[in-house]
Amino acid sequence: MTDLRLERFELEGANVFCARLLGVNRFAQSRENAAALAERLVREQRDGLILDYRACTLDHTIEQFAEIAEIFIARVPKTCRIAYVYGPDNMMHALVMTKRLKAAGYPAAAFADWEGAEGFARKTGR
């Protein structure tokens, strides 16, 4: 996998933004994308977010990925439900991210499959 590609779409019948990441996600690019995504979630008043990392390779450490969580914590309303779909190589990244988000008061969870993430994102409230 080389360059990062993003597939962006809305979850049908829900106010949930989805992004599927394909390829290599580098730390500097991840920071930029997280800031732009946080801005978009606020601007579009989204109820939820699903990030699908199953076809993505992260070149940054788990600690660096935790820094990405801080971008969301600083900018996204705590009512936004955030779901991560992870692959075998980035499971720990997703778990650290959701642990940080949950500690900050977000409804957040990590899933090994799309169906679990979609069910979580479609729920309302906490």
Side-chain angles (χ1 to χ4, degrees), residues 107-124:
F111 300 89
D113 59 61
W114 178 264
E115 293 76 18
E118 181 178 339
F120 177 83
R122 286 186 181 277
K123 292 180 183 174
T124 57

Side-chain angles (χ1 to χ4, degrees), residues 11-121:
L11 196 57
E12 188 175 332
N15 187 26
V16 175
F17 181 78
C18 305
R20 184 170 291 121
L21 290 82
L22 308 156
V24 178
N25 189 10
R26 304 194 187 289
F27 180 55
Q29 190 175 26
S30 188
R31 277 193 317 237
E32 286 178 23
N33 288 340
L37 179 56
E39 181 182 304
R40 181 177 190 156
L41 294 172
V42 171
R43 183 179 66 247
E44 296 177 1
Q45 299 180 338
R46 294 291 181 166
D47 296 328
L49 167 68
I50 300 176
L51 291 170
D52 185 347
Y53 281 85
R54 290 175 294 177
C56 176
T57 300
L58 297 167
D59 87 332
H60 31 316
T61 66
I62 292 171
E63 292 78 19
Q64 287 173 322
F65 202 61
E67 287 182 40
I68 304 301
E70 297 306 317
I71 293 170
F72 289 108
I73 290 167
R75 301 176 186 188
V76 177
K78 286 188 171 62
T79 55
C80 187
R81 299 181 72 75
I82 302 174
Y84 281 83
V85 186
Y86 58 82
D89 294 337
N90 54 39
M91 178 181 73
M92 289 306 297
H93 290 81
L95 295 176
V96 166
M97 173 69 79
T98 55
K99 182 178 178 180
R100 291 259 178 133
L101 291 168
K102 287 169 82 169
Y106 289 84
F111 300 89
D113 59 61
W114 178 264
E115 293 76 18
E118 181 178 339
F120 177 83

